[in-house]
Amino acid sequence: MATEVTVPVLGESISEATIGEWLKKPGEAVKADEPIVSLETDKVAIEVPSPVAGVMGEQIAKPGDTVNVGALIALIETGGAAAAPAAAPAAKAEAAATVPAQSAPVAAPAPAAPAPVASGDQVMTLSPSVRRLVLEYGLDPSSIKGSGRDGRLTKEDVLAAAKNQPAAAPAPAALPTTEDSVPSAERKEERVRMTRLRQTIAKRLKEAQDTAAILTTFNDVDMTEVMAARAKYKDLFEKKHGVRLGFMGFFVKAAVMALKDIPSVNASIEGDEIIYRDYADISVAVSAPNGLVVPVIRDAQKLSVAGIEKTIGDFGKRAKDGTLKMEEMKGGTFTISNGGVFGSLMSTPIINPPQSAVLGLHRIDERPVVRDGQIVIRPMMYLALSYDHRLIDGREAVTFLVALKNAIEDPTRLLIDL
């Protein structure tokens, strides 16, 4: 008996997915609720579990196929028929292996006929080996007397003629070559179909460039005070809250305060109207195996630094496991992308439509700065705010970054909402 495996409900407004890869081969045993196939949607990759225990049967959909919700994609064999899928391929292979032995012997290919070579008004027939020597030594075959049957040239005739010919004029010097100008014989190319997630990322980023008037403004921030606070309290923080104290908690909290002061950065354009919000749903870019995903911290204005860190930590873990839900990546009013974890010094992040701004964080470098007339070394980070200039003026963008900078350089502001 076979049990059908269908595409599960993927979330609101998601009607189709792409087969990523089959995690089980036909004939392999599967357990109930064991993942058997990964599906890629516009937002995330998910794994579909087996509804029953049995043996992997026919896989109706292939990797790369687009399938609708509810579509039949595979069969799980249970009971006595479980061994059938494994036996069938083996029987086919055995039958295929016996066919050549029963068929008539295949005749050996005939040796290649000697290649004709034109020389003046005559056409001479040369064997492949003789032809190769003639071309190698640059000889005129009509000027060589053949000693073979019917006056044909032999290898010995060509070698003797080459030995007796006068020394050729030196060839012009070849242009110098380098390893870069001569393609290597080991160069390879691989053509891989874009995943559905990567296609969606590409489409949305290009859409942002085509529709929004994107501009980026920069500032830098002294991380001394935040780093000192983190070093002082990180052990107590982790002991009490069960999560590490990172920098994102400070930046999300500072961004929420700045968004309250500059509401246009948290707004969006819809048609000929501007939508302003009294809440902040912060999208946080998180690295996943198939690319960046952007889950949303809902009502970040209500969360403490500890609450923010717990939420981000949970997102990061589930992004790696592929268990983020669709609804967790929808919406969002403002995005923070931390390229610094990968070593980025500076970037111009692209807006995540329909949002109007995105904040880019970067790596922390010790740099010389002037404080009270003295040159000192400080841990500095570049901040980048890309924004839709149709909605946000340059003055507002700069004011937002300055407010964020002030809160990070003096974390006490985060406590007294200043």
Side-chain angles (χ1 to χ4, degrees), residues 2-5 22 36 55-60 72-77 85:
T3 300
E4 296 183 345
V5 180
W22 286 99
I36 59 174
V55 173
M56 190 71 216
E58 181 184 1
Q59 295 173 346
I60 298 171
L72 176 65
I73 57 175
L75 298 174
I76 301 296
E77 302 291 346

XYZ file of all heavy atoms in Angstrom, residues 2-5 22 36 55-60 72-77 85:
148
model
N 0.470 2.246 -0.739
C 1.276 3.463 -0.852
C 0.551 4.640 -0.216
O -0.664 4.785 -0.365
C 1.581 3.777 -2.312
N 1.308 5.459 0.489
C 0.771 6.684 1.089
C 1.282 7.878 0.299
O 2.479 7.971 -0.014
C 1.215 6.807 2.557
O 0.729 5.680 3.282
C 0.683 8.095 3.172
N 0.395 8.798 -0.024
C 0.759 9.957 -0.844
C 1.434 11.030 0.000
O 1.070 11.260 1.152
C -0.481 10.539 -1.521
C -1.133 9.592 -2.516
C -2.318 10.235 -3.219
O -2.788 11.298 -2.730
O -2.776 9.696 -4.241
N 2.434 11.674 -0.602
C 3.096 12.831 0.008
C 2.750 14.044 -0.842
O 3.024 14.060 -2.056
C 4.626 12.658 0.074
C 5.273 13.894 0.710
C 4.996 11.404 0.847
N 15.802 15.975 -2.963
C 15.232 14.839 -2.255
C 16.239 14.363 -1.231
O 17.401 14.117 -1.554
C 14.872 13.724 -3.230
C 13.651 14.033 -4.033
C 13.589 14.504 -5.306
C 12.294 13.911 -3.588
N 12.290 14.698 -5.689
C 11.469 14.326 -4.665
C 11.709 13.486 -2.409
C 10.093 14.348 -4.575
C 10.328 13.489 -2.309
C 9.517 13.907 -3.378
N 12.012 14.190 4.119
C 12.305 13.441 2.895
C 12.580 14.345 1.702
O 13.186 13.919 0.726
C 11.156 12.475 2.556
C 9.839 13.244 2.380
C 11.026 11.388 3.602
C 8.693 12.370 1.901
N 9.027 2.785 3.114
C 10.145 2.855 2.168
C 9.825 3.920 1.135
O 8.689 4.028 0.659
C 10.372 1.490 1.476
C 11.419 1.611 0.382
C 10.815 0.452 2.504
N 10.837 4.720 0.796
C 10.655 5.772 -0.209
C 10.278 5.147 -1.538
O 10.997 4.295 -2.068
C 11.954 6.565 -0.365
C 11.807 7.826 -1.193
S 10.885 9.101 -0.340
C 9.996 9.814 -1.723
N 9.138 5.537 -2.050
C 8.675 5.005 -3.328
C 8.957 5.951 -4.478
O 10.006 6.587 -4.534
N 8.025 6.063 -5.391
C 8.212 6.887 -6.584
C 8.267 8.366 -6.225
O 7.449 8.853 -5.447
C 7.072 6.634 -7.573
C 7.200 7.441 -8.862
C 6.012 7.260 -9.792
O 5.073 6.513 -9.406
O 6.010 7.863 -10.874
N 9.227 9.067 -6.801
C 9.334 10.523 -6.641
C 8.775 11.171 -7.899
O 9.426 11.180 -8.945
C 10.793 10.912 -6.389
C 11.332 10.360 -5.070
C 12.816 10.591 -4.883
O 13.522 10.941 -5.832
N 13.305 10.374 -3.669
N 7.590 11.692 -7.772
C 6.875 12.193 -8.947
C 7.439 13.526 -9.423
O 7.501 13.803 -10.618
C 5.373 12.321 -8.613
C 4.822 10.929 -8.261
C 4.593 12.940 -9.762
C 3.421 10.936 -7.712
N 0.637 16.243 -5.522
C 1.271 14.974 -5.183
C 2.708 14.991 -5.682
O 2.957 15.245 -6.867
C 0.504 13.823 -5.833
C 1.090 12.418 -5.659
C 1.063 12.007 -4.192
C 0.317 11.400 -6.509
N 3.650 14.727 -4.773
C 5.059 14.771 -5.177
C 5.788 13.445 -4.975
O 6.849 13.222 -5.569
C 5.818 15.879 -4.412
C 5.706 15.698 -2.899
C 5.330 17.258 -4.834
C 6.540 16.705 -2.107
N 5.241 12.530 -4.158
C 5.923 11.257 -3.928
C 4.974 10.264 -3.287
O 3.865 10.611 -2.858
C 7.155 11.461 -3.039
N 5.437 9.004 -3.241
C 4.691 7.937 -2.590
C 5.588 7.254 -1.563
O 6.784 7.058 -1.810
C 4.201 6.903 -3.613
C 3.242 7.399 -4.698
C 2.972 6.295 -5.702
C 1.930 7.887 -4.081
N 5.015 6.899 -0.433
C 5.717 6.125 0.586
C 5.081 4.733 0.627
O 3.875 4.605 0.864
C 5.621 6.781 1.982
C 6.222 8.184 1.951
C 6.338 5.918 3.016
C 7.699 8.226 1.660
N 5.890 3.713 0.345
C 5.387 2.342 0.340
C 5.402 1.786 1.762
O 6.401 1.900 2.474
C 6.255 1.463 -0.568
C 6.334 1.931 -2.009
C 5.030 1.763 -2.763
O 4.153 1.044 -2.247
O 4.892 2.331 -3.858
N 9.886 -0.901 -4.623
C 10.663 0.152 -5.274
C 12.137 -0.177 -5.362
O 12.798 0.146 -6.328
C 10.414 1.370 -4.384
C 9.128 1.093 -3.686
C 9.126 -0.369 -3.471
